[in-house]
Amino acid sequence: GWDLTFSAPKSVSVLWSQADTQARKQIQEAHAAALKAALTYLEEAASFTRRGKGGHVHEPAGLIIATFEHGTSRAIDPQLHSHCLVLNLGTRADDTTGTLLSKPLYQHKMTAGALYRAELSSQLERRLGLVCERTRSWFELVGVPKSLMEYFSKRRAAIEERLQASGMETASAAAFAALATREPKDL
């Protein structure tokens, strides 16, 4: 199977961690609605199972997904995110099952992430009247101090320090730095 992770922008996580109970609930419900939109998109656009000799016949399939919501990073910083564990098994229209094709999920992961962020920003604006401001390929909430977001970004700081030490700036270098600086989970 696959672990698809959808993370709220840092400003959302920081606000969520400091908000009262009612606002926290609204933020979590916005996150859940955005997650549902992204997963529905993946099921409609990228979920196919194989059938026949050599698996050459591809059919649409329903996804089997377990979701787990978390509120912190490994560094114990606020990080509202959900792990969506997609079982490598899809349900076909005739109620049979088959393994999933992984390539379509991979091809649509960036679109699903963009859809998640777009729906999350829309939900936050609608539910709480928050103002979202686009920042490259994501958004941040207007009014959450940058200094507070930086304070609660120990993982990002460690990754950037590793990148600076290596003199590299590519996405693959950042992925390597993320693995190299990752602390074991505190059980």
Side-chain angles (χ1 to χ4, degrees):
W2 302 271
D3 177 5
L4 309 177
T5 305
F6 295 88
S7 295
K10 182 54 75 174
S11 60
V12 176
S13 294
V14 169
L15 179 62
W16 170 82
S17 74
Q18 304 302 307
D20 64 37
T21 304
Q22 186 57 30
R24 282 176 69 113
K25 183 179 182 215
Q26 287 294 311
I27 293 168
Q28 284 177 267
E29 287 176 1
H31 170 73
L35 192 62
K36 183 177 181 180
L39 295 175
T40 298
Y41 166 77
L42 284 174
E43 188 168 53
E44 291 172 355
S47 177
F48 300 95
T49 185
R50 301 175 293 183
R51 190 192 296 260
K53 185 173 181 171
H56 295 292
V57 177
H58 300 167
E59 296 178 33
L63 295 176
I64 301 168
I65 306 170
T67 60
F68 302 91
E69 184 180 290
H70 299 283
T72 60
S73 68
R74 286 179 188 235
I76 316 301
D77 287 331
Q79 182 192 7
L80 179 60
H81 66 286
S82 289
H83 293 272
C84 304
L85 304 181
V86 179
L87 190 63
N88 187 13
L89 189 69
T91 56
R92 300 180 186 117
D94 65 0
D95 291 329
T96 61
T97 59
T99 59
L100 295 175
L101 295 171
S102 59
K103 189 172 184 178
L105 288 171
Y106 179 78
Q107 291 171 323
H108 289 268
K109 71 177 185 167
M110 299 301 279
T111 303
L115 180 60
Y116 162 79
R117 290 185 298 278
E119 183 63 24
L120 179 60
S121 68
S122 175
Q123 290 281 332
L124 292 171
E125 289 175 343
R126 191 170 35 246
R127 290 169 182 267
L128 294 166
L130 298 171
V131 177
C132 302
E133 184 174 78
R134 187 175 176 167
T135 305
R136 294 190 286 203
S137 64
W138 68 93
F139 71 92
E140 295 295 354
L141 297 174
V142 172
V144 176
K146 186 172 176 136
S147 60
L148 194 56
M149 291 190 295
E150 288 172 355
Y151 177 79
F152 285 124
S153 297
K154 291 183 221 48
R155 281 287 295 134
R156 184 77 219 149
I159 292 166
E160 288 177 0
E161 185 178 307
R162 177 61 65 103
L163 285 172
Q164 189 174 28
S166 72
M168 301 174 90
E169 298 178 0
T170 65
S172 59
F176 178 78
L179 288 174
T181 60
R182 187 165 75 176
E183 295 289 327
K185 287 185 178 179
D186 185 18
L187 303 174

